Amino acid sequence: MSVSRDDLMAAARAAAEGAYAPYSKFLVGAALAFADGSVVSGANVENVSYGLSLCAETVAAGKAMSEGRRGGLVAVAVSGPKAHAITPCGRCRQVLVELAMLDGSDPLVWCDGPGGVREFRLSQLLPEAFSEL
Ligand code: THU
């Protein structure tokens, strides 16, 4: 049984506290929920060479895959600064698809914002995603 929307968003918000974002000062957290009930979170990690910076979703997906996960992604939560409605950037959408496509799943993506949490399917955020599988 995977975690609830509220719990996953709480994990994303908590993860944002670990962000290393001295350049943008835009702290982002992401949390991935898996079918076995596990949660893997990440935060953005910037670099003085700005283009090398990593988004929170990419860090979380990298952690999950490097720990051996190859599917089972049920939901993703993303949270940024309080006043900001956030959605995953285009690059992160493709990174998340890499994990989802391994077992053909189409995870929910919960996006935090001042107006409340918005819900999407990953396939809505990146329709016709590139795949070689
Ligand atoms: N960022 C994320 O971590 N996730 C997103 O979906 C959008 C942007 C980060 C990248 C950069 O460190 C900062 O937010 C400002 O763009």
Side-chain angles (χ1 to χ4, degrees):
M1 193 29 200
S2 76
V3 299
S4 70
R5 190 184 83 159
D6 285 355
D7 285 353
L8 197 66
M9 190 53 79
R13 289 174 185 150
E17 291 171 22
Y20 174 71
Y23 307 108
S24 72
K25 313 233 185 309
F26 196 89
L27 278 54
V28 183
L32 313 184
F34 291 85
D36 64 2
S38 61
V39 171
V40 178
S41 63
N44 53 332
V45 178
E46 297 186 344
N47 191 277
V48 64
S49 179
Y50 297 171
L52 301 181
S53 298
L54 300 172
C55 289
E57 301 91 319
T58 291
V59 170
K63 282 173 67 178
M65 294 187 78
S66 65
E67 290 172 358
R69 289 178 183 76
R70 294 292 183 269
L73 182 59
V74 175
V76 177
V78 191
S79 183
K82 256 198 167 65
H84 263 272
I86 189 159
T87 54
C89 79
R91 184 179 188 273
C92 287
R93 295 176 194 199
Q94 186 72 48
V95 169
L96 292 169
V97 162
E98 186 71 25
L99 184 50
M101 74 182 182
L102 294 174
D103 66 352
S105 59
D106 188 12
L108 290 164
V109 182
W110 291 314
C111 300
D112 210 1
V117 175
R118 291 184 298 159
E119 177 178 296
F120 304 93
R121 286 277 172 192
L122 184 56
S123 62
Q124 278 179 278
L125 295 178
L126 189 59
E128 304 297 334
F130 173 67
S131 171
E132 290 183 355
L133 296 185

